[in-house]
Amino acid sequence: MHLIYFFKKTRAMGGTGHSRRCSFPLGTSFALAALGACVSGCDGSPTLGAGDVEQPEGWSDALAMAVPEDLDPDPDVLEIELEARITDLEIIPGKPTPVWTYNGTLPGPLIRAKVGDKIVVRFRNALPEPTSIHWHGMRLPNDMDGVPGLTQDPIEPGGEFVYEFVARDAGTFWYHPHINSAAQVGWGLYGALVVEDPQDPEVFGDELVLVLSDMALDEEGQFLPEDSGGEFGDLFGREGNILLVNGKVRPRLEVRQGKQQRWRVINAARARYYTLRLPEHTFVKLGGDNGLAERSVETSRIVLVPGERADLVFTPSDPPGTSRWMQWIPTERGFGSVFNRPRENMLEIVTVDEDPVLPAPIPVELREIERIDVAGAKTLTLDLTIDTESTAGTREVVMGINGIPYWRSQPLEARVGETHVWTIVNHTAFAHPFHLHGYFFQVLDDARVPEWKDTVDVPAESSLEIAVRFDERPGMWMYHCHILDHADSGMMGHLWVAADGETHPPHVELIH
Ligand code: C2O
Ligand code: CU
Ligand code: CU
């Protein structure tokens, strides 16, 4: 509380530079140093605050993502063109890969808007197969959700579709196809969508969006077959052998000791879980899927399941002129996910040879998260299931919800205005990242920092409860496991949120 108070006070005071920074409630020795009141014994303490210096020149150039041209002069409307097309890119030097891209880049363009903006996306499919764009995590009208068979027709090769919606919530979102998604996402179709809140504290630092993904390539840079590994590939989920950060292999980031950066991290991988670790460092997590959490927490690792996002402050603390790797650490998510798997280097953090600066304090209280009132809520249980089916002598893995694969499922039912509590049960040997379209939920678990989410891990042999309010926007919405191989194997369902007086669900086609 008092940090927020100081923070607001600081913001309100305005002004720039040294004197403003000195009004922070600093630790005493640092405070003395920052005030220039250094006495003998405090050699080496920073004399500048983080707010007094810029990031090193070109700090994030190696991680830059394409920014689409805004075709609408209205500052509150972002109108862009996206084309899905195959583009040769050198993931492995000298060995071009036919990557499935938006506008020819990997990841697709970084779409950045501010809360309340209207976003218009003129989309064209120049791929050899049907596709669509789903705006993961966005609370948008049902017919803009991008799910072929449910909310729109597949966009055929050569076809076009205009997506148009208002960015009502600040947060870190992303976009990807919702048909043949394991393959299409695995081949490169994903991009970041950031909705900024102009009220966010400046002390969070300069922003960097990190899209984490992987790709399954052979030595010639060609994609491994989309069904590689057969049954086990379906069961485990297909992780690529090449780790990518913003489409790059082991890129570098330049930092200055003490000068904070705000990272918005997105797990866009088809199946891979990410546990990120930077030795000798901690991160201050601000929130995740749908904006800031109730309070910030310091953590030594960031865990992101497929589809999930993290919003954090990174404070470089290595001495000038050194470098260190941010690593991917194997995450326990069921059979074969950890044993004998090495850590991998992902991102090189290079600390430039400049004097350290004093980091700014990060507020603890960030935002009030109103708890969903679950009194009188409708309850239901979703059991995430894995079976095998034998047809004509071949065994096939069939996943489902309550034993029923997507293509044979009936919709769950809700009415606008209802609150639900869903118990999500996982008796399988693998963890499943559960994702709901169209609505934010809260995980009912007092041990967690309250926040709004749309994707949550359900570890093997466990269960959890989520609360969700279907307050508006009737229609057919998806929920599924975000290991996309699992989703395509049937671990998906649909939910009919009925409008007032509506008695029959709309006709849908469950595309297998
Ligand atoms: Cu990332 Cu059905 O979604
Ligand atoms: Cu989604
Ligand atoms: Cu799963």
Side-chain angles (χ1 to χ4, degrees), residues 134-138 145 174 176 178 435-438 454-455 478 480 482:
H134 167 59
W135 309 93
H136 183 123
M138 298 289 284
D145 199 40
W174 65 296
H176 63 80
H178 223 285
H435 171 51
L436 171 66
H437 286 209
D454 57 61
T455 307
M478 297 291 294
H480 57 91
H482 220 289

Side-chain angles (χ1 to χ4, degrees), residues 401-423:
I401 312 274
N402 297 338
I404 299 163
Y406 176 60
W407 49 90
R408 290 204 291 266
S409 66
Q410 294 297 315
L412 297 179
E413 289 188 22
R415 303 207 72 83
V416 165
E418 280 179 0
T419 296
H420 284 204
V421 171
W422 292 0
T423 304

Side-chain angles (χ1 to χ4, degrees), residues 77 98 108 172 187 203 228 246 263 267 295 305 362 384 397 435 444 447 449 480:
V77 179
T172 307
W187 294 330
V203 290
S228 63
N246 293 1
W263 290 0
N267 182 352
R295 52 182 192 272
V305 304
I362 305 302
L384 310 174
V397 175
H435 171 51
L444 300 177
V449 178
H480 57 91

Side-chain angles (χ1 to χ4, degrees), residues 399 431-433 481-483 486 491:
M399 305 200 179
H432 303 287
C481 175
H482 220 289
I483 291 179
H486 290 183
M491 199 176 280

Side-chain angles (χ1 to χ4, degrees), residues 203-408:
V203 290
F204 290 169
D206 302 283
E207 194 179 290
L208 180 65
V209 180
L210 298 173
V211 178
L212 310 179
S213 63
D214 62 11
M215 246 178 205
L217 301 180
D218 66 18
E219 282 137 40
E220 294 307 307
Q222 300 305 299
F223 286 113
L224 299 177
E226 62 195 89
D227 57 355
S228 63
E231 206 175 73
F232 187 74
D234 286 333
L235 270 175
F236 188 70
R238 292 174 179 84
E239 294 185 7
N241 53 333
I242 296 182
L243 286 166
L244 299 170
V245 182
N246 293 1
K248 306 285 187 322
V249 179
R250 291 185 289 278
R252 72 189 256 152
L253 171 69
E254 296 196 357
V255 304
R256 177 170 180 161
Q257 187 184 350
K259 173 69 178 167
Q260 284 140 320
Q261 306 185 347
R262 178 185 190 174
W263 290 0
R264 295 177 181 266
V265 195
I266 300 167
N267 182 352
R270 162 180 181 166
R272 183 184 288 265
Y273 279 43
Y274 285 81
T275 298
L276 305 178
R277 187 168 168 262
L278 187 64
E280 311 296 328
H281 286 73
T282 57
F283 302 103
V284 176
K285 194 170 179 216
L286 302 172
D289 293 350
N290 311 117
L292 301 178
E294 195 165 77
R295 52 182 192 272
S296 62
V297 271
E298 193 176 345
T299 170
S300 57
R301 290 166 179 227
I302 300 287
V303 182
L304 286 175
V305 304
E308 200 176 24
R309 289 87 70 203
D311 192 346
L312 58 91
V313 175
F314 163 54
T315 306
S317 61
D318 280 338
T322 61
S323 94
R324 183 191 293 280
W325 288 98
M326 184 168 81
Q327 294 176 314
W328 174 89
I329 311 274
T331 315
E332 179 54 71
R333 64 173 183 88
F335 177 75
S337 51
V338 169
F339 180 69
N340 236 345
R341 296 190 75 186
R343 303 177 164 200
E344 288 189 52
N345 292 339
M346 286 187 64
L347 176 66
E348 188 180 16
I349 313 270
V350 177
T351 307
V352 298
D353 209 352
E354 300 275 354
D355 287 342
V357 295
L358 178 68
I362 305 302
V364 175
E365 311 283 338
L366 298 176
R367 171 194 191 187
E368 203 180 323
I369 306 276
E370 183 206 337
R371 304 298 190 276
I372 294 179
D373 180 5
V374 295
K378 272 193 157 182
T379 59
L380 56 96
T381 299
L382 300 179
D383 198 354
L384 310 174
T385 51
I386 300 181
D387 298 293
T388 50
E389 268 178 17
S390 310
T391 27
T394 56
R395 225 155 59 95
E396 202 197 340
V397 175
V398 173
M399 305 200 179
I401 312 274
N402 297 338
I404 299 163
Y406 176 60
W407 49 90
R408 290 204 291 266

